[in-house]
């Protein structure tokens, strides 16, 4: 449920931003940094865009290759997979090479994100879209608080680090800090959304509801992710910057 909600909401929000910035039917050059299994990258390739996936984890890269191998030839031809670190985009690509750059669920593993973000912004052509999905540091108390772990909830108010469900100690980002960073790298914040306002504490093993109920989940999450004050306490933030 958690991943399904994340992918669906991010897809809707990303499509909305792309439609607002680019002519209908334009084949975009997309870079997905830390693409994981490639859910969003493959979706955009199926929509006709030229996609490059950059991934450093060998297991994730193998999984993405297996998924890509099952796609029709036309999609495979416009999809490129590269093994590499998102902090080294300048090694692989020339500045201004892409219309859209995705960096979803990556910054929490980067101790000093500002240099990486500056490198991602340099990859964008003028008017290009930078899409970031980050853990919301201003809502770290919500997850433990809602399950009754009030000691952990109190501690979360004074930190920007947390232990994720993989058991790793990682970091979260604050909206205001990222807003300032994006302005400083000439890709100022254009729009932002909350992701997983209501479903963040759902068990990883929880089965999806039926189509009708799932549609209600998506509708409620979509509405909350666009509405104050709900979006401010979402587990994840989806930020969209535009290259000046």
């Amino acid at each position: 449920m958690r991943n399904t909600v994340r992918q669906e909401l991010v897809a809707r929000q990303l499509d909305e931003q792309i439609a607002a910035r680019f002519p209908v039917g334009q084949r975009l050059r997309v870079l997905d940094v830390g693409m994981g299994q490639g859910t969003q990258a493959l979706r955009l390739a199926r929509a006709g865009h030229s996609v490059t996936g950059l991934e450093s984890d060998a297991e994730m890269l193998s999984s993405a290759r297996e998924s890509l191998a099952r796609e029709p030839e036309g999609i495979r031809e416009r999809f490129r997979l590269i093994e590499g670190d998102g902090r080294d985009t300048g090694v692989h690509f020339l500045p201004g090479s892409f219309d859209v750059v995705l960096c979803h669920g990556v910054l929490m593993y980067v101790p000093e994100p500002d240099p990486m973000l500056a490198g991602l912004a340099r990859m964008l052509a003028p008017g290009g879209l930078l899409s970031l999905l980050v853990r919301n540091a201003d809502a770290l108390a919500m997850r433990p608080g809602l399950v009754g772990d009030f000691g952990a909830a109190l501690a979360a108010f004074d930190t920007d680090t947390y232990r994720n469900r993989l058991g790793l100690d990682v970091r979260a980002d604050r909206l205001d800090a990222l807003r300032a960073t994006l302005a400083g790298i000439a890709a100022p914040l254009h729009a932002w959304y909350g992701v997983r306002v209501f479903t963040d504490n759902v068990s990883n093993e929880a089965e999806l509801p039926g189509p009708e109920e799932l549609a209600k989940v998506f509708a409620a999450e979509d509405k909350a992710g666009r509405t104050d004050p709900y979006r401010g306490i979402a587990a994840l933030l989806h930020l969209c910057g535009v290259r000046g």
Side-chain angles (χ1 to χ4, degrees):
M1 170 73 88
R2 296 169 72 254
N3 188 57
T4 298
V5 168
R6 165 186 159 168
Q7 299 294 354
E8 175 67 20
L9 268 289
V10 169
R12 292 184 184 193
Q13 296 156 3
L14 188 57
D15 286 351
E16 180 177 89
Q17 291 301 313
I18 287 174
R21 297 218 59 79
F22 302 102
V24 175
Q26 179 178 342
R27 178 173 290 186
L28 301 174
R29 301 164 298 166
V30 179
L31 172 63
D32 191 348
V33 174
M35 67 171 184
Q37 295 176 334
T39 302
Q40 295 298 330
L42 279 170
R43 188 183 67 82
L44 290 169
R46 292 179 191 126
H49 304 300
S50 177
V51 178
T52 299
L54 185 67
E55 177 57 57
S56 60
D57 185 274
E59 186 174 339
M60 288 291 186
L61 201 58
S62 176
S63 177
R65 286 196 177 103
E66 290 177 6
S67 296
L68 184 60
R70 294 192 290 269
E71 296 291 327
E73 182 180 357
I75 293 174
R76 297 198 306 271
E77 288 177 347
R78 57 177 174 264
F79 199 114
R80 181 169 54 145
L81 289 170
I82 297 177
E83 185 172 2
D85 193 295
R87 289 167 287 195
D88 299 323
T89 49
V91 174
H92 301 283
F93 315 110
L94 293 173
S97 295
F98 298 95
D99 304 301
V100 178
V101 173
L102 314 181
C103 183
H104 296 168
V106 175
L107 288 190
M108 57 272 290
Y109 299 104
V110 181
E112 298 292 337
D114 285 7
M116 177 174 169
L117 289 172
L120 298 184
R122 283 193 292 272
M123 296 300 102
L124 285 169
L129 180 68
L130 176 60
S131 172
L132 306 174
L133 187 69
V134 304
R135 186 74 161 90
N136 183 7
D138 291 321
L140 288 180
M142 293 298 295
R143 183 181 291 176
L146 289 173
V147 297
D149 187 349
F150 296 110
L154 285 169
F157 284 103
D158 301 315
T159 184
D160 61 358
T161 62
Y162 67 104
R163 179 160 292 181
N164 66 16
R165 295 198 179 194
L166 299 175
L168 301 175
D169 292 321
V170 291
R171 48 174 296 284
D173 289 283
R174 301 188 189 279
L175 175 63
D176 287 345
L178 283 175
R179 189 194 304 270
T181 296
L182 290 173
I185 61 175
L189 185 65
H190 177 74
W192 69 277
Y193 308 86
V195 176
R196 283 208 317 249
V197 175
F198 303 123
T199 55
D200 189 54
N201 274 354
V202 173
S203 168
N204 286 339
E205 290 73 38
E207 294 184 5
L208 289 176
E212 184 175 341
E213 188 63 26
L214 185 60
K216 293 178 183 177
V217 173
F218 289 154
E221 286 280 8
D222 184 66
K223 181 71 172 179
R226 302 166 183 270
T227 305
D228 292 323
Y230 301 102
R231 63 177 179 165
I233 59 167
L236 305 170
L237 298 177
H238 183 197
L239 291 79
C240 298
V242 176
R243 181 71 169 171

